[in-house]
Amino acid sequence: MNIENTQSQMRKGILEFCILSIIRRGEAYPSDIVDEMRGCNLQILEGTLYPLLTRLKNADMLTYRWVESNSGPPRKYFSLTPKGEEFYNELEATWNELANAVTRLTTKKESLVSTAGNVSFGPDSPNIPTNTSTTDKQE
Amino acid sequence: MNIENTQSQMRKGILEFCILSIIRRGEAYPSDIVDEMRGCNLQILEGTLYPLLTRLKNADMLTYRWVESNSGPPRKYFSLTPKGEEFYNELEATWNELANAVTRLTTKKESLVSTAGNVSFGPDSPNIPTNTSTTDKQE
DNA sequence: TTCAAGTACTATACAACACATAGTACCTAC
DNA sequence: GTAGGTACTATGTGTTGTATAGTACTTGAA
């Protein structure tokens, strides 16, 4: 439970969305995409991107065409299919809902919950430990 | 690659953040949290929440105290530890960065990439298929 | 011509996590 | 004391990002 891991989890959820967004603006091949992402402070690795593109292609969200390069092997330039466009739109809606929900949650004031203070402890509850803040591991 | 799955992936990354945010406003027990999340259109299930809380507690981000209920067994009321506060602040910063990055990506205009049109096809490239839009599965 | 270096893509094993599901313990009420 | 509800626990599964190694093509220099 380190911070890097959690940050990576956050990124993870929106990777597809970001990649589709980049491709949506115009054909792109993997290195383009990596550069774009990095330019927006979004880490992504080859080992992540290639499988993801393959998955999207096999789901008929993307197509590609081979384009020769003058500095190395040919490249796969990806673009969105109609189905991919539709998918992207749904993801965009989802993202907006999510961002709204987070904003609502994090900006809400306190004292909506926390009725716990009114409930009295049970002095004779059979299995309830009496210490207020427990630190015992129980796995 | 259905939309529900991807939406779930998006949620996944921010679950910890949201839960910490709720607890941060005041002590809460699991059902409180589920209700709060649902109230913000954020689906979460028991089977997800309980392991997550246990993980956070074992990482010393949360503590709990037992509080008797007058309608069932006693409840674990969770609250943030200092370490948890710190963790939350880092997550908040990460979320803001991420949200910014997505905004930048999705609102960027086209025509920054897509220089692909200028590159000519190689008619004699050995292993390059000549069809423009491929649909072959290759796994 | 052949060998090295760089670029582009592929394949495989691994770890983290949400989710589904079943199970246990406690409480209240009839 | 037994049934039903609430709170929490335990285990297995599928998806997916990541790490790492490997293959194929191109260019350029010895």
Side-chain angles (χ1 to χ4, degrees):
Chain A
M1 174 130 304
N2 50 346
I3 186 76
E4 289 83 12
N5 197 348
T6 306
Q7 290 169 332
S8 157
Q9 285 295 323
M10 279 197 184
R11 257 199 318 276
K12 189 172 168 175
I14 60 162
L15 273 186
E16 281 180 16
F17 177 49
C18 290
I19 287 165
L20 287 175
S21 173
I22 291 171
I23 295 176
R24 182 164 169 269
R25 301 204 304 265
E27 282 189 311
Y29 82 107
S31 293
D32 278 342
I33 297 173
V34 171
D35 290 346
E36 278 272 354
M37 300 279 283
R38 294 257 166 79
C40 289
N41 283 3
L42 280 169
Q43 196 185 77
I44 187 170
L45 304 173
E46 272 201 334
T48 300
L49 183 57
Y50 281 105
L52 206 160
L53 290 172
T54 303
R55 215 161 54 237
L56 286 166
K57 189 191 75 63
N58 288 343
D60 198 28
M61 305 295 179
L62 298 177
T63 50
Y64 64 81
R65 62 188 184 107
W66 287 100
V67 175
E68 270 203 339
S69 163
N70 43 10
S71 66
R75 302 162 174 175
K76 281 184 178 178
Y77 273 82
F78 288 87
S79 55
L80 260 64
T81 62
K83 192 175 171 188
E85 284 275 1
E86 198 180 325
F87 190 63
Y88 174 82
N89 289 332
E90 293 189 81
L91 289 189
E92 193 175 34
T94 302
W95 165 258
N96 288 331
E97 277 178 36
L98 210 63
N100 275 335
V102 170
T103 302
R104 255 179 294 159
L105 269 185
T106 55
T107 59
K108 223 182 224 175
K109 294 188 302 298
E110 303 190 20
S111 76
L112 288 178
V113 190
S114 75
T115 54
N118 303 332
V119 182
S120 61
F121 270 77
D124 55 348
S125 299
N127 283 344
I128 300 180
T130 55
N131 54 337
T132 295
S133 64
T134 58
T135 52
D136 55 315
K137 311 273 191 249
Q138 49 188 192
E139 279 153 311
Chain B
M1 174 131 304
N2 50 346
I3 185 75
E4 288 84 12
N5 199 347
T6 306
Q7 290 169 331
S8 156
Q9 286 295 326
M10 279 196 185
R11 258 201 317 276
K12 189 171 167 174
I14 60 164
L15 273 188
E16 279 181 17
F17 177 49
C18 290
I19 287 165
L20 287 175
S21 173
I22 291 171
I23 295 175
R24 182 164 169 269
R25 301 204 304 265
E27 283 188 312
Y29 82 106
S31 294
D32 278 343
I33 298 174
V34 170
D35 291 346
E36 278 273 353
M37 300 280 283
R38 294 259 166 77
C40 289
N41 284 3
L42 280 170
Q43 197 184 78
I44 188 171
L45 303 174
E46 272 201 334
T48 300
L49 182 57
Y50 281 104
L52 207 159
L53 289 172
T54 302
R55 214 161 55 237
L56 286 166
K57 189 191 74 63
N58 289 343
D60 198 29
M61 305 295 179
L62 298 178
T63 51
Y64 64 81
R65 62 187 183 109
W66 286 100
V67 175
E68 271 203 339
S69 164
N70 44 7
S71 66
R75 302 161 174 175
K76 281 184 178 178
Y77 273 81
F78 287 88
S79 55
L80 260 65
T81 63
K83 193 175 172 190
E85 283 276 1
E86 199 180 325
F87 190 63
Y88 174 82
N89 288 332
E90 293 188 81
L91 288 190
E92 194 175 33
T94 302
W95 166 257
N96 288 331
E97 278 178 34
L98 209 64
N100 275 334
V102 170
T103 302
R104 253 178 295 159
L105 268 184
T106 55
T107 59
K108 223 180 224 175
K109 293 187 304 297
E110 302 190 20
S111 76
L112 288 177
V113 190
S114 75
T115 54
N118 303 332
V119 182
S120 60
F121 270 77
D124 54 348
S125 300
N127 282 344
I128 300 179
T130 54
N131 53 338
T132 294
S133 63
T134 58
T135 53
D136 56 313
K137 312 274 189 250
Q138 48 188 193
E139 277 156 310

